[in-house]
Amino acid sequence: MKKNLLRLGRAITFLAAIGLLAFGAASIVTVADVIGRRIGLPIHGVIDLVQLFIMAGVWLIMPYAFYSGAHVGVDFIVEKMPGRVQTVVRILGSLIAIVLLVLMAWYGYVTSQQRIMFGDTSQELGIPIVWFWVPLLAGMIGSIVAAILVMLGNTTPEVTQ
Amino acid sequence: MSNAALGLAGFVLALTLIGLGLPVAIAMSTVGVIGYWLLHGWAGVAFSLGSTPFESVFPYSFSVIPLFVLMGVFASHAGLSRSLFDMLNSFFGHIRGGLAVTTIGASALFGSICGSSLATVATIGRVAMPEMRRHGYDDSLSAATVAAGGTLGVMIPPSILLVIYGLLTQSSIGKLFMAALIPGVLGTFLYAAVVLAQTRMNPKVAPKANRTPWSERMRLLSKIWPVILLFGLVIGGIYTGWFSPTEAAAVGAFGAFLLALFSGGLTRKSLKATVVETAGLTGMIFFILIGAALFNAFLESTQLPQMIIQQTEQLGMSRLTVMLLILVFYLVLGCFMDSISMILLTVPLIAPVVAEMGYDLIWFGIMVVTVAEVGLITPPVGMNLFVVQATVPGLRQATVIRGIFPFVVADIVRLGLLLAFPAIALWMTAATP
C-alpha cells in the first residue's frame, strides 16, 4: 500500500516536471516569434501554441500544488486550537476541496463534450479544443488523487521538513 | 434577505472560513458556489463549475503569470545574488550600516529580475545574513533589513502581484510596471534612510567595515551585467513596444534560464527545486484565480459593489476619507492574509468603488501593492518574517519582529507620499504603449 502511495507521489511530481517543460515550450515559441518578427519570419499561430502549452503546463502542475500543500491559508488561529479541533478543520478542508474538485471535473467533462460536439477549434491553427481539455481533465483527476493523498496524511518531504 | 445583503454575508463567510484555516482558494470557491446556487439554481452553478477552470487559464494574457514565476525561479538559481551583494558592498560597506544598505540595494536589484518577494528574501537572505552576522551586525537589524528589502521584489517590476492586479482590473500591465518603478526606487531610498537613521542613533548595531579600492569596485561592477541586461531587456522591451508584457514574461523566463545555465546554477538538484517552486507557486496562484472567479461571479450577481458605491455616495464622505478607510482596511487585512489572496478577494469589490470616485486604477494598483508589501512584514502572518527566520537557524521570530517597525513606518510614509503626489507613480506611464 505504502509503495503504491509512493508511486502515486512520484507520478504527480513527474506530471509537474512535464508541466514545467510545457512552460518552457511556451517561452521558447514566444521568443522565436519575437525574434522572427524583427527579421520578417513570425511564427504562425503563436498565440494558439502558447495557450495550449500554458493550459497543459498549469493543469499538469496543479496536482503537485495540492500534493505539496502549496495552497495558502491563514493558520495562526487554527494553530491555537486544541489538536483534535485542528485535525477536524484540516480534514473538513480536504473534504471540501475534494468535493469541489470532483464537481469541477465532472462538469468540466460535460462542458468539454459539448465543446467537442460543437467542433470548437483554436482561432489561428484550428487546433481541436479537445487538446486543451485533455490536460485540464487529467490535471483535475490528478488533483483529486493528490488531495486524497494529503487527507490520508501523505505529504512530500519538502512540506514535512 | 436582499441580494446585496447576501453578497455581504458571503464576503464575511469567506473571511471567516479563511480565518478558520481553510485554504483561501477553497474558501472562495465554496462561498462562490453556494452563493451562486442560491441566486441562480444548480444549473447556473453547474455551468460555472464546468467552464471556470478552463476560462481561468485559457486567456492568452494569463500566460504572463507562470512565465514570470519561472523567470523569478530561474533568476534565484542563477547565483546572481552574491555578485549583486558583493558589488554593492564594495561601494557602501565602509559606511556605518553599509552592509544593511547593501542588502536593501541588492534586494531592489534582485527584485528587478525576480517578481516574488519570498524568493527575494530567501535568495538575498542566504547571502546577506551570514555576512552581517560575521561583521557583528545586530540580528534584529539584519533580519528586519532582509525581510523589508524582500518586499521590493514585489514592487520593482516585473512583479507577479502587479500582473495579477492588472489582469483583475483589466489595466495595462506595461503601464503598471512603469508606474511601479519610481515608487520602488523611493521605497529603496526610504529603507536605506531607515537603516542609516538607526545606525546613527545606535552605532553599536552596525560596525564599520574596510573601504574597498576603486579597481575592485569596478571589477565587481562588471560582474552584474547579466542583471542589468535581463532587466533592460524585459522592461526596455515593454517600454519601447518591441514586445507586449505577456511576451516580456516569456523573454524574461528564457533569459533567466540562460543566465542560470551559463552561471552553472542548473544542477540536477536546482532543476528539481525549480519544478517544486514553480509548480507550487503557479498551482497556488491559478487555483486562487479559479476560486476568485467563482466568488466574484457570485458577488457580481448580488450587485454588492454597486450597493457599496451608492452607500459611499449617500454617506457624503470625501474621496480622501474613503481612500484612507480603504488603505486602513488593507493594512489590517494584510496582517492576516497573504498578498495574492488579499488582492484577489478584495480588488473586484473595491476597484469599481475607487474608479467611480475618479481615482486612476493604475495609481490604485501601486497603492494596493504597496499596502500588500506592508502585509508581508507585519506579524502575525508576514511571510517575509518567516522566510528570513528560516534562513538563519536559531533566529527567533521576536528578534525579527523587533526590528521591523521602522520599515513599516517607511512604507506608510511612502503611501502618504503616493497619496499626496500621485504623479510619483503616474508620470512614467504617459509614454508607455
Side-chain angles (χ1 to χ4, degrees):
Chain A
M1 175 72 176
K2 201 165 181 180
K3 219 173 185 177
N4 286 335
L5 289 175
L6 207 66
R7 273 189 198 139
L8 277 174
R10 279 199 195 127
I12 286 168
T13 311
F14 179 71
L15 279 183
I18 303 283
L20 193 78
L21 286 177
F23 291 155
S27 171
I28 288 168
V29 84
T30 305
V31 171
D33 182 58
V34 166
I35 296 169
R37 282 199 315 246
R38 315 265 344 145
I39 55 171
L41 289 169
I43 291 180
H44 177 60
V46 68
I47 292 180
D48 287 2
L49 290 173
V50 169
Q51 282 179 302
L52 181 62
F53 289 138
I54 295 294
M55 188 63 128
V58 167
W59 284 106
L60 292 181
I61 55 130
M62 194 61 85
Y64 189 86
F66 277 92
Y67 187 58
S68 64
H71 294 299
V72 288
V74 177
D75 287 338
F76 71 98
I77 298 174
V78 181
E79 279 168 2
K80 289 186 175 59
M81 292 176 177
R84 201 174 286 174
V85 179
Q86 285 186 35
T87 311
V88 170
V89 168
R90 294 215 163 103
I91 290 175
L92 200 65
S94 294
L95 274 176
I96 294 173
I98 291 164
V99 170
L100 266 172
L101 285 167
V102 168
L103 287 172
M104 282 182 193
W106 171 247
Y107 288 111
Y109 172 74
V110 172
T111 308
S112 70
Q113 294 308 301
Q114 287 167 355
R115 299 268 177 100
I116 292 163
M117 203 173 68
F118 293 142
D120 286 4
T121 59
S122 71
Q123 282 189 343
E124 284 182 57
L125 295 177
I127 302 169
I129 205 73
V130 65
W131 287 31
F132 294 83
W133 278 96
V134 166
L136 188 153
L137 294 172
M140 206 64 99
I141 291 165
S143 299
I144 294 168
V145 173
I148 292 170
L149 286 179
V150 169
M151 197 173 70
L152 295 174
N154 292 281
T155 52
T156 52
E158 286 84 358
V159 174
T160 50
Q161 261 172 16
Chain B
M1 191 187 266
S2 72
N3 281 358
L6 185 67
L8 195 62
F11 190 76
V12 173
L13 179 63
L15 281 177
T16 310
L17 290 176
I18 291 166
L20 283 172
L22 215 62
V24 176
I26 304 296
M28 289 169 84
S29 303
T30 306
V31 175
V33 165
I34 294 171
Y36 209 79
W37 183 15
L38 291 172
L39 288 170
H40 302 285
W42 190 252
V45 175
F47 176 78
S48 199
L49 282 167
S51 56
T52 304
F54 187 91
E55 302 299 341
S56 299
V57 182
F58 184 70
Y60 175 67
S61 55
F62 281 32
S63 66
V64 72
I65 297 174
L67 295 179
F68 269 135
V69 168
L70 198 58
M71 175 184 172
V73 172
F74 277 134
S76 64
H77 289 288
L80 295 166
S81 50
R82 167 57 71 182
S83 309
L84 285 172
F85 190 85
D86 288 346
M87 184 278 289
L88 287 166
N89 190 29
S90 71
F91 282 87
F92 301 110
H94 64 281
I95 305 168
R96 193 175 291 284
L99 270 175
V101 173
T102 295
T103 303
I104 299 291
S107 301
L109 286 176
F110 192 73
S112 70
I113 53 167
C114 169
S116 157
S117 177
L118 300 184
T120 306
V121 174
T123 313
I124 297 295
R126 277 196 289 267
V127 180
M129 281 304 291
E131 279 295 308
M132 286 193 277
R133 288 189 126 192
R134 194 163 65 82
H135 283 85
Y137 274 53
D138 175 62
D139 265 354
S140 186
L141 173 70
S142 311
T145 305
V146 172
T151 66
L152 298 168
V154 177
M155 179 58 84
I156 293 184
S159 156
I160 293 164
L161 219 50
L162 282 173
V163 165
I164 290 172
Y165 175 88
L167 293 172
L168 267 181
T169 57
Q170 294 180 340
S171 305
S172 156
I173 292 169
K175 286 192 173 182
L176 281 165
F177 281 1
M178 290 307 146
L181 267 176
I182 294 177
V185 174
L186 179 66
T188 310
F189 281 110
L190 285 173
Y191 283 169
V194 162
V195 169
L196 294 175
Q198 284 191 79
T199 52
R200 177 156 285 204
M201 283 189 283
N202 186 5
K204 281 185 193 162
V205 295
K208 275 186 181 179
N210 294 331
R211 191 181 282 270
T212 311
W214 272 99
S215 57
E216 179 65 4
R217 287 179 183 179
M218 289 299 121
R219 190 187 70 78
L220 291 167
L221 189 63
S222 69
K223 286 175 80 174
I224 66 151
W225 65 265
V227 177
I228 296 165
L229 182 72
L230 190 56
F231 176 71
L233 191 66
V234 172
I235 300 304
I238 296 172
Y239 195 72
T240 54
W242 279 6
F243 38 74
S244 66
T246 313
E247 290 169 332
V251 172
F254 189 70
F257 167 75
L258 290 181
L259 288 186
L261 184 69
F262 290 117
S263 68
L266 281 190
T267 57
R268 195 182 159 89
K269 193 180 164 192
S270 74
L271 273 173
K272 197 177 171 193
T274 303
V275 174
V276 168
E277 289 164 30
T278 310
L281 188 55
T282 311
M284 182 267 278
I285 293 175
F286 273 98
F287 210 71
I288 299 183
L289 277 173
I290 293 168
L294 290 167
F295 184 68
N296 293 330
F298 156 62
L299 277 191
E300 280 165 22
S301 302
T302 65
Q303 305 270 304
L304 181 61
Q306 287 79 354
M307 192 271 284
I308 293 174
I309 292 169
Q310 279 173 8
Q311 292 294 319
T312 315
E313 283 169 356
Q314 280 171 11
L315 284 170
M317 284 190 285
S318 70
R319 258 167 43 117
L320 184 64
T321 312
V322 177
M323 182 51 67
L324 286 172
L325 286 174
I326 289 171
L327 293 177
V328 170
F329 167 72
Y330 271 121
L331 282 171
V332 174
L333 198 62
C335 293
F336 304 101
M337 274 181 93
D338 85 289
S339 47
I340 294 173
S341 312
M342 186 171 84
I343 284 181
L344 281 165
L345 182 71
T346 59
V347 164
L349 195 65
I350 290 176
V353 180
V354 171
E356 185 68 23
M357 288 191 301
Y359 282 108
D360 188 301
L361 280 181
I362 298 283
W363 170 83
F364 184 63
I366 304 304
M367 296 296 277
V368 168
V369 170
T370 308
V371 183
E373 276 184 63
V374 183
L376 288 165
I377 53 172
T378 43
V381 291
M383 287 303 291
N384 286 15
L385 305 176
F386 296 114
V387 177
V388 73
Q389 193 189 359
T391 61
V392 182
L395 186 68
R396 291 181 62 238
Q397 180 83 138
T399 310
V400 190
I401 291 171
R402 207 172 57 235
I404 208 71
F405 181 69
F407 293 99
V408 175
V409 173
D411 277 337
I412 292 171
V413 168
R414 180 156 46 125
L415 271 175
L417 288 170
L418 281 165
L419 190 61
F421 309 105
I424 293 172
L426 292 179
W427 82 273
M428 279 286 284
T429 61
T432 311

